[in-house]
């Protein structure tokens, strides 16, 4: 089964594995990179209502799970199946809280584009190590502590909690105008429903996601309520530190090797 990896970083030696950055990657099997017809009408649909309306009669079979950001001042066809930052924060259902992770952060630009994050509990984790922990209204912003004296937080993710689902979006873009509006970036996004009685207790995707969230000092317990078992993606994370034995295969390109 051919698979494709995106945006990972790792360094390794023969006896132990050294990772320098907190980072996220998504691996999607080639034959599973588009939504099926049945998924197009379910809570797992990756497109917001505004996107579906704007794209007219496009068949759900052609909706990719991995898309580009929407670039300004380019022909319409160049933005086919793209998604804007505003569409990631789908407001057709009330947003309860959010977790946003990035390396570079332009807070003024972010608030201009997504003002609603000021109205709900929001945690922003960034890579600016010299910036102090800040709290502005319902927003908390900080750089997570690192277990080694070098490295940085580099993962770029949105966790958006709704009453009936959670949206996970992983991007290659920093949160600034230059990256989002003038450069081609990749965004993987999927919605996950609440667990039901017959849902698996957990899944590898959930375990990996919750591990990463805990590592950046964010409460991971709300994620336990959602069913990640049907996702088409494999989540690969990079965690700073030294790893030996089987722990080497939990992160970075050794995790990628295991899944390939």
């Amino acid at each position: 089964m051919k698979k494709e990896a995106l945006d990972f970083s790792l360094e390794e030696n023969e006896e132990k594995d050294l990772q320098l950055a907190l980072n996220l990657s998504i691996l999607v099997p080639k034959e599973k990179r588009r939504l099926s017809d049945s998924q197009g009408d379910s809570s797992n649909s990756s497109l917001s209502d505004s996107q579906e309306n704007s794209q007219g009669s496009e068949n759900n079979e052609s909706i990719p799970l991995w898309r580009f950001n929407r670039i300004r001042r380019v022909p319409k066809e160049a933005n086919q199946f793209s998604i804007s930052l505003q569409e990631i924060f789908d407001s057709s259902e009330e947003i309860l809280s959010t977790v946003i992770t990035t390396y570079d952060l332009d807070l003024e630009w972010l608030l201009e584009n997504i003002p609603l994050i000021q109205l709900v509990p929001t945690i922003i984790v960034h890579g600016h190590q010299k910036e102090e922990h800040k709290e502005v209204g319902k927003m908390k912003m900080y750089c997570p502590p690192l277990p080694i004296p070098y490295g940085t937080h580099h993962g770029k993710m949105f966790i958006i909690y709704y009453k009936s689902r959670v949206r996970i979006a992983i991007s290659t873009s920093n949160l600034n105008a230059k990256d989002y509006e003038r450069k081609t970036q990749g965004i993987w996004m999927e919605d996950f429903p609440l667990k039901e009685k017959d849902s698996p207790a957990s899944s590898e995707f959930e375990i990996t996601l919750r591990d990463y969230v805990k590592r950046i000092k964010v409460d991971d317990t709300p994620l336990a309520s959602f069913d990640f078992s049907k996702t088409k993606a494999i989540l690969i994370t990079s965690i700073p530190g030294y790893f030996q034995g089987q722990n080497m295969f939990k992160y970075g390109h050794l995790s990628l090797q295991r899944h390939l």
Side-chain angles (χ1 to χ4, degrees):
M1 180 170 60
K2 185 178 179 181
K3 300 178 183 179
E4 190 172 273
L6 301 160
D7 190 29
F8 63 91
S9 60
L10 180 70
E11 292 186 6
E12 177 198 2
N13 61 37
E14 291 182 357
E15 297 180 353
K16 64 178 66 172
D17 187 61
L18 168 64
Q19 298 196 47
L20 304 180
L22 279 155
N23 211 348
L24 295 151
S25 308
I26 282 292
L27 188 66
V28 183
K30 185 175 181 180
E31 64 272 23
K32 295 182 179 180
R33 290 180 195 161
R34 297 179 184 275
L35 297 178
S36 66
D37 285 329
S38 60
Q39 288 171 313
D41 296 326
S42 74
S43 61
N44 270 351
S45 173
S46 295
L47 282 183
S48 66
D49 292 339
S50 60
Q51 282 179 285
E52 290 175 350
N53 292 336
S54 66
Q55 293 176 2
S57 60
E58 295 287 357
N59 191 300
N60 282 321
E61 259 184 7
S62 64
I63 299 172
L65 291 170
W66 179 266
R67 282 165 286 163
F68 295 117
N69 58 313
R70 188 157 303 153
I71 302 293
R72 294 183 178 182
R73 303 184 192 87
V74 298
K76 183 178 179 180
E77 57 270 20
N79 272 323
Q80 186 179 24
F81 298 129
S82 64
I83 186 169
S84 69
L85 186 61
Q86 292 80 5
E87 287 169 333
I88 293 175
F89 286 81
D90 175 22
S91 58
S92 63
E93 183 180 345
E94 181 185 2
I95 293 176
L96 303 180
S97 63
T98 69
V99 177
I100 300 171
T101 76
T102 185
Y103 170 66
D104 188 50
L105 172 65
D106 182 338
L107 183 60
E108 182 178 353
W109 174 85
L110 180 62
L111 295 180
E112 286 177 358
N113 284 273
I114 313 293
L116 66 84
I117 63 174
Q118 301 174 85
L119 307 177
V120 299
T122 295
I123 296 174
I124 301 176
V125 181
H126 56 74
H128 294 175
Q129 297 181 24
K130 294 183 180 180
E131 290 192 10
E132 297 180 356
H133 181 108
K134 295 181 181 178
E135 295 192 19
V136 181
K138 295 185 177 182
M139 294 190 304
K140 297 180 180 179
M141 293 164 282
Y142 62 89
C143 180
L146 300 174
I148 51 180
Y150 39 82
T152 186
H153 177 268
H154 217 274
K156 303 167 184 73
M157 174 172 63
F158 304 100
I159 303 176
I160 306 171
Y161 290 103
Y162 300 88
K163 185 176 181 180
S164 62
R165 60 187 167 112
V166 64
R167 170 165 289 183
I168 308 294
I170 296 176
S171 167
T172 63
S173 179
N174 287 298
L175 290 174
N176 58 48
K178 180 176 66 175
D179 274 19
Y180 255 96
E181 297 173 5
R182 300 172 215 150
K183 296 180 180 179
T184 298
Q185 305 284 353
I187 302 168
W188 168 87
M189 187 175 77
E190 195 167 344
D191 289 349
F192 301 94
L194 288 165
K195 287 179 180 174
E196 299 179 351
K197 291 183 179 180
D198 59 347
S199 297
S202 188
S203 62
E204 184 172 3
F205 188 98
E206 177 184 335
I207 292 169
T208 304
L209 178 63
R210 292 184 63 182
D211 176 65
Y212 186 88
V213 168
K214 283 189 288 188
R215 300 267 187 173
I216 59 174
K217 307 303 179 184
V218 174
D219 182 14
D220 68 302
T221 53
L223 293 168
S225 300
F226 299 96
D227 185 358
F228 298 94
S229 63
K230 296 179 182 179
T231 183
K232 301 177 185 303
I234 297 167
L235 180 62
I236 297 173
T237 60
S238 295
I239 304 297
Y242 291 93
F243 302 94
Q244 294 178 295
Q246 290 303 309
N247 284 335
M248 290 196 303
F249 296 90
K250 291 175 64 176
Y251 307 110
H253 73 233
L254 291 181
S255 176
L256 173 64
Q257 179 190 64
R258 177 167 61 88
H259 286 102
L260 292 177

